[in-house]
Amino acid sequence: MMPPLKRIAEYIRATDNFLITTHVAPDGDALGSMFAMAEILAILGKHAVMFNESGLPDRFAWIGSGQTILTELPAAEPDVIIVLDCGDRERAGTAILPWLGSKPVINIDHHLANPLFGTLNWVEQRTSSVGELVGRLAQELGIPLVGMLGQYIYLALISDTGNFCFNNTRPETLEMAAEILRMGLLPGPFHEHRQSTGTLNQLQMRGTVLQEARLYADGRIGLISFSRDLFERTSTGPEDTEGLVNAVLYIQDVQVAISVREEEQGIKFSLRSKGSINVQAVAASFGGGGHRNAAGGILDVDMESAQNSLVQAVTKAIHEAL
Ligand code: 5GP
Ligand code: MN
C-alpha cells in the first residue's frame, strides 16, 4: 500500500475545498502546523479555511499571517477536513465533532494511542511534532520551507521539542530546522518574538505560583497550582500558564511535575516527566492523553481531589518505573 504521506499528497492535489483544524487551546505545534498547512494549500491555489473553537491565543498574535482562524463553523461545507495534532477526535472540540463523523477526514498526528479516527491517517509517534510531518508534506509537494511557511514549521519544531532539547529531537528534526535556516529564517529575532509576549502581571503571577510549589512522594513529585482566585487577583488567565510546569523539573530529585489549574470545564492538568516514566498512561487513566514525557487532561472534580488523585496515580507510575 502507498505510504500515508504519498496518499495524502495525492489526495490534496485532487481536492479543492479544505477546512483545517487542530486541538482546542492550541499550542505552538498546533498553530504552526495549521498555519503551515494553510500556506501550503494557498501556494497550491486551493481554497482553505482554518477553524479552531479557541481562536488564536494572544501570545501567538505575532505569528500573524493576516489569515483569520474561524471560531465558528463556516456556512460553506468543505470537501475534506484536515485534523492536526489531535490525539483523538474529541480534542478538536465539540462544534466540529458532527462534521468529523460525516465528512472525509485527514488525520495527521504524533500522539501515543491515536485511534486513527480519520479516513486517511498519518500518525507517527516518533516524530517530534506535527509541524515536522507537515514540513515533509511540503517537501513531497515540491514546496520550499521559505518565508512564512518556514517560520510556521520552525515554531512547531521548537515548541514540541522544548527548543530542541527533548529526545524527540531526531537528526531529521534538526535537518529540517537547518533547511529552514538555510532558506533565511533568523533564530534570534524569531526567539525574541516568541518569548517576549508577556506582561508584568503575568510574570508576577508565575512567580507566585512557583513560590507556592510543593513536593510529594519523598520529593519525586513537584506540584504547582493555578486557582481561579489567583487569576482574578492578577488579571491573568489559563492561557498565561503555558510552559510553567516544565520549570518544576528544575528540581534535581523531581521525576514528575504536575500542574493543575481551575478552568470553566474543570481542573485542567499537565504532567511532565523525566526519563522512562510514562505520564501519557497516567493522563489516559483520567481520560486525557499526550506523550510519554508530556501529557494532560481535564478532571471534573474540585481542586483538592484533583491534586490528590493525580499525586496518587503519579506516585504509582514512579514506583512502577523503578
Ligand atoms: P499540555 O500539558 O501542554 O497542555 O499538553 C501536553 C500534552 O498532553 C500535549 O501533547 C497535549 O496534546 C496532551 N494533552 C493535554 N491536554 C489534553 C487533554 O485534555 N486530552 C488529551 N487527549 N490530551 C491532552
Ligand atoms: Mn504536537
Side-chain angles (χ1 to χ4, degrees):
M1 205 167 69
M2 208 191 283
L5 167 61
K6 298 215 181 284
R7 289 180 68 196
I8 290 172
E10 266 192 14
Y11 193 100
I12 285 177
R13 282 196 193 96
T15 309
D16 186 39
N17 278 300
F18 296 82
L19 183 144
I20 314 164
T21 192
T22 185
H23 60 81
V24 289
D27 56 16
D29 185 28
L31 291 166
S33 55
M34 182 164 68
F35 276 107
M37 185 59 86
E39 188 77 10
I40 290 169
L41 295 174
I43 290 168
L44 294 174
K46 308 288 182 179
H47 181 261
V49 294
M50 292 185 280
F51 167 82
N52 189 279
E53 260 178 56
S54 325
L56 183 68
D58 289 346
R59 69 177 190 284
F60 288 109
W62 61 273
I63 63 176
S65 64
Q67 285 204 62
T68 39
I69 298 179
L70 303 177
T71 52
E72 283 173 23
L73 291 181
E77 300 197 5
D79 298 331
V80 61
I81 300 176
I82 302 181
V83 182
L84 302 167
D85 202 31
C86 289
D88 55 49
R89 191 195 295 253
E90 288 70 28
R91 285 283 282 154
T94 48
I96 199 159
L97 266 183
W99 278 7
L100 294 183
S102 64
K103 296 185 177 303
V105 168
I106 300 178
N107 164 24
I108 305 180
D109 184 44
H110 69 139
H111 288 94
L112 294 176
N114 184 304
L116 307 182
F117 57 84
T119 320
L120 282 178
N121 298 284
W122 182 22
V123 179
E124 288 190 12
Q125 293 171 2
R126 67 175 191 283
T127 299
S128 70
S129 51
V130 174
E132 189 176 330
L133 297 174
V134 175
R136 291 225 305 271
L137 178 65
Q139 290 167 336
E140 173 71 23
L141 291 162
I143 299 171
L145 304 181
V146 69
M148 295 298 256
L149 179 57
Q151 177 179 290
Y152 300 144
I153 301 288
Y154 197 78
L155 172 66
L157 298 179
I158 215 168
S159 300
D160 266 22
T161 59
N163 302 324
F164 304 123
C165 287
F166 305 151
N167 271 342
N168 61 2
T169 311
R170 295 178 308 149
E172 292 83 350
T173 319
L174 292 175
E175 277 154 12
M176 189 172 285
E179 179 61 13
I180 294 169
L181 297 199
R182 216 171 271 123
M183 290 286 160
L185 183 133
L186 289 172
F190 178 91
H191 180 76
E192 282 167 23
H193 277 303
R194 175 165 172 258
Q195 298 301 71
S196 314
T197 59
T199 63
L200 182 61
N201 274 1
Q202 289 165 355
L203 185 73
Q204 290 177 337
M205 181 274 285
R206 292 163 78 98
T208 304
V209 166
L210 291 182
Q211 190 82 39
E212 293 166 0
R214 275 163 292 153
L215 295 177
Y216 295 91
D218 296 327
R220 292 207 188 91
I221 299 175
L223 182 145
I224 53 172
S225 68
F226 302 84
S227 65
R228 187 167 302 146
D229 176 57
L230 176 69
F231 288 142
E232 277 166 18
R233 270 191 289 128
T234 54
S235 308
T236 59
E239 56 296 338
D240 306 321
T241 65
E242 178 70 19
L244 201 61
V245 62
N246 296 301
V248 181
L249 295 178
Y250 168 78
I251 303 168
Q252 195 171 20
D253 290 337
V254 164
Q255 300 300 307
V256 175
I258 304 176
S259 146
V260 280
R261 62 184 200 224
E262 265 182 297
E263 293 200 14
E264 261 167 41
Q265 313 92 302
I267 305 297
K268 163 81 201 176
F269 66 89
S270 289
L271 304 173
R272 299 291 185 271
S273 68
K274 294 177 185 166
S276 63
I277 301 167
N278 181 4
V279 287
Q280 186 273 343
V282 177
S285 74
F286 294 111
H291 310 277
R292 191 181 62 181
N293 300 115
I298 291 184
L299 281 166
D300 191 14
V301 293
D302 64 37
M303 186 61 124
E304 202 184 320
S305 334
Q307 292 185 7
N308 291 339
S309 309
L310 286 163
V311 167
Q312 204 175 22
V314 168
T315 304
K316 196 160 156 259
I318 292 174
H319 283 140
E320 280 166 8
L322 287 178

